[in-house]
Amino acid sequence: MGKEKYEESSSDEEVNSSSDVVEASSDEEVESSSDEVEVSSDDVESSEDESSSDNEKVEESDSSEDEVAPRNTVGDIPLVEWHKDEEHIGYDIKGRKIKKQPRKDKLASFIEGADDPKNWRKIYDEYNDEEIELTKDEIKIIQRVISGRTPHAEVNPYEDYVDWFEYEDKGHPLSNAPEPKRRFIPSKWEQKRVANLVRKIRAGLIKVSDQHKEEEHNVYSLWTDDTDSVENKKHGGYVPAPKPKLPGHEEAYNPPVEYIPTAEEINSYELMYEEDRPKFIPRRYLNYRSVPAYDKGVKESFDRCLDQYLCPRTRKKRINIDPESLKPKLPSRKDLRPYPTTCYLEYRGHMGPVNCISVDPSGQWLASGSTDGTARVWEIETGRCLKIWEVGEVARQICWNPSPDRPILAVVLEYDVLLLYSGMGDIDIQTKMKELLHISEPGATEDAGDSKSAATWIQHEKHDGIRMKHFKAVSSIEWHFKGDYFTTVVPSGDSKAILLHQLSKKHSETPFRKLGIPVTAVFHPSKKKFFVATKKFVHVYDLSKVEKIQKLETGVREISSISIHPGGENIIVGSKEGKMCWFDLELSTRPYKTLKVHSKDITRVTFHRTYPLFASASDDCTAYVFHSTVYSDLNQNPLIVPLEILRGHKPEHGRGVLDCKYHPRQPWLFTAGADSIIKLYCH
């Protein structure tokens, strides 16, 4: 006992002396460098070696009595925010306030820390508002954690593993848990690895040896024919015998019940043609011995031998082409947006079918004509009807003047054309329109050698406009892009079928002769060209020379409508058999592409002024929207892509959508139907 006490006291003196040495060395280092003082790790390790040499065993206690309870009892709250304006930081265990320590200036605290040699050991506890000085043992623990070792030197992290489980003579496994799911599904990490290798092989980063390719020459398929072998090619055209179809479930001697036909089905087979009749009728037998011989075996063997005997000497190889590869590769519809898809607004008010519509050049107003004897002007964004003209006759066609300074509407009645002021514009425009639509004396245009006048200009007192009387019924009207000239079509076989009118001079003339029976006529959007469509042909005229320069052959039964591309070099023609023809004037006089889209007559085709879109309306109550890109490169053909089929109108007396027009600035489409409704389709 005395010896143990002596050794214990000597070890305590050694620890105290070593701690004094560490403290002295740390004090000297503080005096030498005022910035930072650190305890050398060598001294700590030496002290650890000494303590280990003395076989000191420090036992740690798990008792909560060794821990010092926090002085502040307010809990885990944000002290800085909640007690920012208070004089205390919380309450102690007896409920008394813990006063805040006086805050020091940063400069004063820096000077004080520079003079204090133990300042590097101090840390600030914000929760209790006090400074704590670390002990030597705590500094040793911190240094060991920083260096990646265990906090306590007496802990051995590499102790030998002790297996506490006894495996011998045990009747049950260690774990009876079911197998995890990951053992039954493919590994996603292996899949990513394989995909990465495949990507590198395709990119050429990994080169695969060609040894297996040399071995493939020595391998042949056992079940394929030898038609392509070298030996057979030397001896001429070897044709293998046709292989019969392999038997299925219905050829079994005891097939399932669902394969056995009923008596009614067998009787129906007798009424079929021989080529449509099934070759084999399934039957059920009790055992394999009851199956009779095949009654058509000899005949089929004879037919097979006959096929080989009558086989042609030359073999024709059929080209196997995938039908999907013949389809043109079109871009995705998502890449061609915007285009009209859904009905956004309906304009209701007409009591009869709406024959025609026209959009104001500004895109704010919409004009419509109906069989109820009225012409209306609508506000596009709200659907409000602003003005109504009681014309008293069926409005066959209506057209807005393309010039923004001339808000004039041209309404085609049976024999007359009304030029009406829409009422839009300021006072100056109203004054100019009244002067423009005023006629002092009625004037008529007469042809030489003919007593009948082509058109007569008369002042219309009721609507304060101009009435133009024609000698026959007028079918269509179209304005020139400058807004002063317009043309009317009278479907007759004489020379007065196409009339050109000048609004400023109140003058009409018939420059074209011997046209046949025209259907419609339009001006070129930028050049001095004029297009006249008869029942089967489209004639192109030069207005400056008044001569025909081109004749387009459509190949359809009867033309119903035409429209010119804003570029002026492409035309679409709609027919009464549901076909559309696309013409490229620089390519040929025949259609570049013919589209069979509608099941009934096409009533109207139209191009958009700014967007690469065109549309067609038909009596089948549908309107088709197409994308059309015309390239400046002459070697590249136009791109035509069908986009959308717009439905919504109801048929009335066999008629569907009677007219369609695009908005001049937005990708919107207006459709007029026989159900007296005008619809606006937006993107």
Side-chain angles (χ1 to χ4, degrees):
M1 291 293 292
K3 186 178 180 181
E4 290 177 359
K5 289 181 180 179
Y6 174 76
E7 290 177 357
E8 194 172 350
S9 61
S10 62
S11 61
D12 293 337
E13 291 176 359
E14 289 175 359
V15 170
N16 294 331
S17 62
S18 61
S19 61
D20 295 336
V21 172
V22 173
E23 185 175 359
S25 61
S26 62
D27 295 340
E28 292 174 358
E29 289 175 359
V30 167
E31 293 177 359
S32 61
S33 63
S34 61
D35 296 339
E36 184 178 0
V37 180
E38 296 181 356
V39 178
S40 62
S41 59
D42 297 336
D43 296 340
V44 176
E45 291 178 357
S46 62
S47 63
E48 291 174 0
D49 296 339
E50 291 177 0
S51 61
S52 61
S53 62
D54 294 338
N55 296 325
E56 287 187 357
K57 294 184 179 180
V58 180
E59 295 183 358
E60 295 183 357
S61 176
D62 294 336
S63 176
S64 60
E65 297 178 356
D66 298 341
E67 300 178 359
V68 180
R71 187 161 60 100
N72 198 351
T73 60
V74 293
D76 189 7
I77 61 172
L79 295 174
V80 179
E81 298 179 4
W82 291 19
H83 296 80
K84 179 173 61 176
D85 299 330
E86 303 293 338
E87 296 180 355
H88 62 283
I89 62 170
Y91 303 90
D92 58 6
I93 196 170
K94 295 183 179 180
R96 293 174 296 187
K97 293 183 180 180
I98 302 176
K99 300 293 183 180
K100 288 184 180 179
Q101 298 293 337
R103 302 299 179 188
K104 298 179 181 179
D105 189 9
K106 291 186 178 182
L107 181 60
S109 61
F110 175 75
I111 295 173
E112 183 180 353
D115 296 338
D116 188 6
K118 296 183 179 182
N119 183 56
W120 64 277
R121 293 188 177 186
K122 296 179 181 179
I123 59 174
Y124 175 68
D125 184 6
E126 184 180 3
Y127 188 75
N128 295 315
D129 194 20
E130 60 183 2
E131 288 187 352
I132 300 174
E133 184 175 351
L134 300 177
T135 62
K136 296 179 181 179
D137 295 336
E138 292 173 345
I139 292 175
K140 292 178 184 179
I141 292 173
I142 293 173
Q143 289 181 349
R144 290 184 64 85
V145 170
I146 292 174
S147 61
R149 292 177 291 176
T150 57
H152 299 282
E154 63 275 4
V155 176
N156 184 13
Y158 306 106
E159 292 183 356
D160 295 335
Y161 174 71
V162 179
D163 193 358
W164 301 100
F165 184 76
E166 298 179 1
Y167 294 92
E168 297 179 357
D169 301 331
K170 298 297 180 182
H172 297 279
L174 181 61
S175 175
N176 201 17
E179 293 291 334
K181 186 179 178 181
R182 63 177 177 272
R183 297 186 184 177
F184 301 96
I185 59 176
S187 175
K188 65 176 183 179
W189 305 110
E190 292 181 0
Q191 182 183 1
K192 291 182 179 181
R193 179 63 177 169
V194 171
N196 190 16
L197 293 175
V198 171
R199 197 180 300 111
K200 290 182 179 180
I201 291 173
R202 290 178 179 176
L205 301 178
I206 299 178
K207 294 183 178 180
V208 184
S209 60
D210 298 336
Q211 296 179 359
H212 63 283
K213 293 184 179 180
E214 297 178 356
E215 298 176 356
E216 289 179 357
H217 296 289
N218 300 327
V219 179
Y220 63 92
S221 180
L222 182 63
W223 304 107
T224 56
D225 51 22
D226 299 333
T227 55
D228 297 333
S229 62
V230 180
E231 296 180 359
N232 291 329
K233 289 182 180 179
K234 291 180 181 179
H235 297 289
Y238 167 74
V239 180
K243 294 183 178 181
K245 181 184 176 182
L246 297 177
H249 293 290
E250 61 272 7
E251 277 85 4
Y253 75 93
N254 190 10
V257 180
E258 57 267 17
Y259 286 97
I260 300 175
T262 60
E264 296 178 357
E265 293 178 350
I266 294 175
N267 295 332
S268 63
Y269 294 159
E270 300 296 333
L271 302 176
M272 296 181 181
Y273 291 102
E274 187 177 356
E275 58 270 11
D276 298 334
R277 196 177 303 164
K279 305 300 181 185
F280 179 79
I281 299 177
R283 294 181 182 179
R284 174 174 289 184
Y285 300 95
L286 297 178
N287 47 41
Y288 197 72
R289 297 192 307 271
S290 302
V291 180
Y294 185 49
D295 54 349
K296 298 180 181 179
V298 178
K299 185 178 181 300
E300 289 186 358
S301 300
F302 174 76
D303 292 340
R304 189 165 183 176
C305 294
L306 192 63
D307 291 339
Q308 293 181 354
Y309 171 71
L310 298 177
C311 182
R313 299 296 181 182
T314 59
R315 184 183 182 187
K316 297 180 180 179
K317 291 187 177 181
R318 181 179 298 176
I319 301 175
N320 295 325
I321 300 176
D322 186 12
E324 297 294 332
S325 63
L326 300 178
K327 294 182 180 179
K329 295 182 179 179
L330 300 178
S332 175
R333 294 197 306 171
K334 296 181 180 179
D335 301 334
L336 303 179
R337 293 176 181 174
Y339 56 87
T341 56
T342 56
C343 181
Y344 174 72
L345 198 61
E346 291 184 355
Y347 305 88
R348 297 175 180 266
H350 284 289
M351 304 306 295
V354 184
N355 290 332
C356 50
I357 54 176
S358 181
V359 187
D360 175 52
S362 64
Q364 189 176 0
W365 318 107
L366 174 69
S368 62
S370 173
T371 57
D372 58 0
T374 62
R376 298 170 182 255
V377 173
W378 312 78
E379 188 176 7
I380 291 178
E381 294 184 356
T382 61
R384 181 167 54 99
C385 183
L386 298 180
K387 199 165 187 179
I388 302 175
W389 290 278
E390 295 288 345
V391 294
E393 299 180 25
V394 176
R396 294 188 174 184
Q397 194 170 357
I398 192 168
C399 192
W400 213 300
N401 193 306
S403 177
D405 299 334
R406 294 183 175 182
I408 298 174
L409 280 173
V411 184
V412 176
L413 307 180
E414 188 174 0
Y415 289 93
D416 301 335
V417 175
L418 296 181
L419 300 179
L420 306 174
Y421 172 54
S422 61
M424 311 301 171
D426 53 10
I427 299 177
D428 296 338
I429 293 179
Q430 293 179 6
T431 306
K432 291 180 181 179
M433 291 303 101
K434 288 181 180 180
E435 294 176 357
L436 184 63
L437 298 178
H438 177 71
I439 298 177
S440 58
E441 296 180 359
T445 300
E446 297 185 1
D447 292 343
D450 194 356
S451 59
K452 285 187 177 181
S453 62
T456 305
W457 298 67
I458 303 173
Q459 186 71 36
H460 197 287
E461 300 296 339
K462 181 179 178 181
H463 299 298
D464 197 13
I466 297 176
R467 177 187 290 270
M468 298 176 58
K469 290 187 176 181
H470 293 69
F471 69 99
K472 286 188 178 180
V474 182
S475 62
S476 67
I477 186 171
E478 195 72 28
W479 286 93
H480 190 263
F481 66 92
K482 291 185 178 180
D484 191 22
Y485 290 90
F486 63 96
T487 178
T488 56
V489 178
V490 179
S492 62
D494 54 11
S495 60
K496 299 179 181 179
I498 303 295
L499 285 82
L500 294 180
H501 313 277
Q502 187 175 5
L503 180 60
S504 59
K505 295 182 179 180
K506 315 296 187 296
H507 176 70
S508 303
E509 60 179 346
T510 56
F512 309 109
R513 302 179 185 275
K514 296 181 181 181
L515 287 174
I517 300 177
V519 177
T520 183
V522 292
F523 290 94
H524 193 279
S526 58
K527 298 180 181 179
K528 294 181 179 181
K529 290 183 180 181
F530 191 69
F531 298 85
V532 179
T534 58
K535 285 190 175 182
K536 294 186 177 181
F537 302 97
V538 178
H539 305 272
V540 185
Y541 289 89
D542 188 353
L543 291 177
S544 60
K545 299 179 181 179
V546 194
E547 63 179 8
K548 186 189 296 185
I549 58 176
Q550 205 170 8
K551 182 180 179 181
L552 306 178
E553 301 178 5
T554 59
V556 297
R557 186 178 70 243
E558 185 176 352
I559 296 175
S560 61
S561 176
I562 65 172
S563 182
I564 315 298
H565 190 270
E569 300 302 329
N570 294 271
I571 307 173
I572 51 174
V573 178
S575 68
K576 289 190 176 181
E577 52 189 308
K579 292 182 180 180
M580 271 197 311
C581 301
W582 179 289
F583 285 92
D584 190 346
L585 299 181
E586 297 180 351
L587 182 64
S588 173
T589 58
R590 294 184 178 273
Y592 156 68
K593 190 166 291 187
T594 302
L595 306 174
K596 176 63 172 139
V597 290
H598 294 281
S599 59
K600 291 186 178 181
D601 299 353
I602 294 178
T603 56
R604 182 71 62 182
V605 290
T606 179
F607 272 107
H608 200 287
R609 294 184 185 178
T610 55
Y611 287 89
L613 298 171
F614 73 93
S616 63
S618 173
D619 282 335
D620 59 0
C621 297
T622 60
Y624 281 65
V625 181
F626 296 85
H627 174 87
S628 59
T629 302
V630 178
Y631 301 96
S632 58
D633 187 5
L634 299 179
N635 295 326
Q636 193 169 2
N637 295 326
L639 176 64
I640 302 174
V641 182
L643 295 177
E644 194 74 25
I645 302 176
L646 304 178
R647 296 181 174 89
H649 289 280
K650 298 179 181 179
E652 292 288 340
H653 305 290
R655 303 301 303 275
V657 183
L658 303 180
D659 198 359
C660 66
K661 289 290 189 299
Y662 272 112
H663 192 278
R665 298 180 181 177
Q666 300 291 338
W668 301 347
L669 182 67
F670 299 89
T671 58
D675 53 357
S676 69
I677 300 175
I678 304 172
K679 292 180 179 290
L680 168 60
Y681 293 90
C682 300
H683 60 283

